Structure formats: C-alpha cells, structure tokens
Amino acid sequence: DIQMTQSPSTLSASVGDRVIITCRASQSINTWLAWYQQKPGKAPKLLIHKASSLQSGVPSRFSGSGSGTEFTLTISSLQPDDFATYYCQQYNSWSLFTFGPGTKVDIK
Amino acid sequence: EVQLVESGGGLVQPGGSLRLSCAASGFTFSNSWMSWVRQAPGKGLEWVANIKQDGNEKYYGDSVKGRFTISRDNAKNSLYLQMNSLRAEDTAVYYCAPYLGSWGQGTLVTVSS
C-alpha cells in the first residue's frame, strides 16, 4: 500500500507569509497527486490536481510542485481565507487512493 | 453548477446496516469515476471506495472490504453505498466525490448502541 505523510502537521503563520507544505509518498506516484483545503464543518475543496494543475477558480497564490515521491503546496502570500487544513491525496491507481494526515494552518 | 447531495445517514446499532445515497447534478455523471470518502469526528480523510463509470470496476479500502458495497445508477445520476456489519469505528461523515471534482456536504453516520 502507498502511505502518505505530510509536514508539518501544524503551521502557525501570519497574513502575507509564504507557506510551504510538504507531502511524501512511500513509493513513486508519478504526478498523480491532489491537494485539498478543508475548513471546519465544510467539505474538502480541490485546489490542485496532477501535482501542479490549478483547479478552475482557485486563486493563483496557490501552487503545487513535485513528482515521484516528494511534493509541495505553496501559498505565496497567505490570506485570511486560507486558514484551514490541507490534505494531499495520491490517486496513482483506481484500486487505492490514499490521503495524507493533513496540515493545519492557523494564525500566529 | 456541480451539486452532490448525500442522504441516508443516521444512528445505527453495531452490526446494523445503512444505505447511503448521493444525488448528482451539474455534470455528466455517467462519464465520471465516483468515490466515497469518510471523515471520523476530529480526524482526517479516509478513502472508502471507487466505482468506474459503467459500474463494472469497484475498489474498496481495507477497513470496509467485504462489508460495504458501492454501486451507481447512471439513469438516476445517483451513487450508493450499502454498509453492512457496521462498527463503532465506521462513525464518520461520508462524502461522495466525482473524480477530481467538487464534493457533497456529506451525511453523518453514527454507529452506537
């Protein structure tokens, strides 16, 4: 099975900060990686798919990179609406999807 | 606008059964792989199951294999999850999701005596 890890688990930041979240896969998943944002009591929202493709309607301050086993989500200038929990997800095979444990971005 | 509305959640005793439904609109349902994903209270996301567009391929997470069945009715633009032999650890909000698309708001399943 493919395991996903994320770091850090919690990140304290201020508005305007550049934020980087890392996601690692236990084996290569090429670029079959998505990033989701979730706010309390809400459904997750897709931000990025195929490691670096920005979902329609998502602000350009969000970007993704990586391939193989190491990936990053970058928020170039953190906005008040961005305080949330972020999850990576691998979808390398239809027979097994896996989510990372999440990274909570809170206010410093 | 893509819309997914889950229903069928509720309180059920351990060992019981429940059938979740997801009504889809705003996209071509029959062209999309579909998934169920769940989230236990205060926990992260857990993939539950996938189903191919024509329903002929189905895959399950290890924690639900043999107990849950995913199905779909393309004529009704609907996705289902039959959950049997429910356990306390199945307590979660269950979301339906199209491949790389918007998710529904979820339906809460509580397994407790």
Side-chain angles (χ1 to χ4, degrees), chain B residues 69-80:
Chain B
T69 302
I70 189 172
S71 62
R72 65 192 296 162
D73 184 337
N74 288 341
K76 295 182 178 179
N77 286 347
S78 292
L79 180 72
Y80 306 102

Side-chain angles (χ1 to χ4, degrees), chain A residues 1 32 34 36 38 41-44 46 49 55 87 91 94-97 99, chain B residues 33 35 37 39 43-47 50 59 62 95 99-101 103-105:
Chain A
D1 288 8
W32 301 112
Y36 290 86
Q38 187 180 33
K42 299 294 187 182
L46 178 65
H49 60 94
Q55 182 71 350
Y87 295 93
Y91 54 102
W94 290 113
S95 63
L96 175 66
F97 286 3
F99 289 91
Chain B
W33 277 81
S35 300
V37 177
Q39 186 170 37
K43 303 296 184 183
L45 302 170
E46 180 187 11
W47 169 72
N50 284 344
Y59 302 102
D62 286 344
Y95 297 99
Y99 177 60
L100 299 180
W103 295 26
Q105 283 307 299

Side-chain angles (χ1 to χ4, degrees), chain B residues 18-75:
Chain B
L18 215 51
R19 189 193 195 211
L20 306 184
S21 299
C22 171
S25 61
F27 67 103
T28 308
F29 179 78
S30 58
N31 285 353
S32 183
W33 277 81
M34 294 294 297
S35 300
W36 285 100
V37 177
R38 68 184 182 183
Q39 186 170 37
K43 303 296 184 183
L45 302 170
E46 180 187 11
W47 169 72
V48 172
N50 284 344
I51 186 167
K52 193 179 178 181
Q53 292 94 327
D54 59 7
N56 286 338
E57 285 185 48
K58 305 175 184 181
Y59 302 102
Y60 300 92
D62 286 344
S63 62
V64 307
K65 207 170 290 183
R67 301 186 299 123
F68 290 12
T69 302
I70 189 172
S71 62
R72 65 192 296 162
D73 184 337
N74 288 341

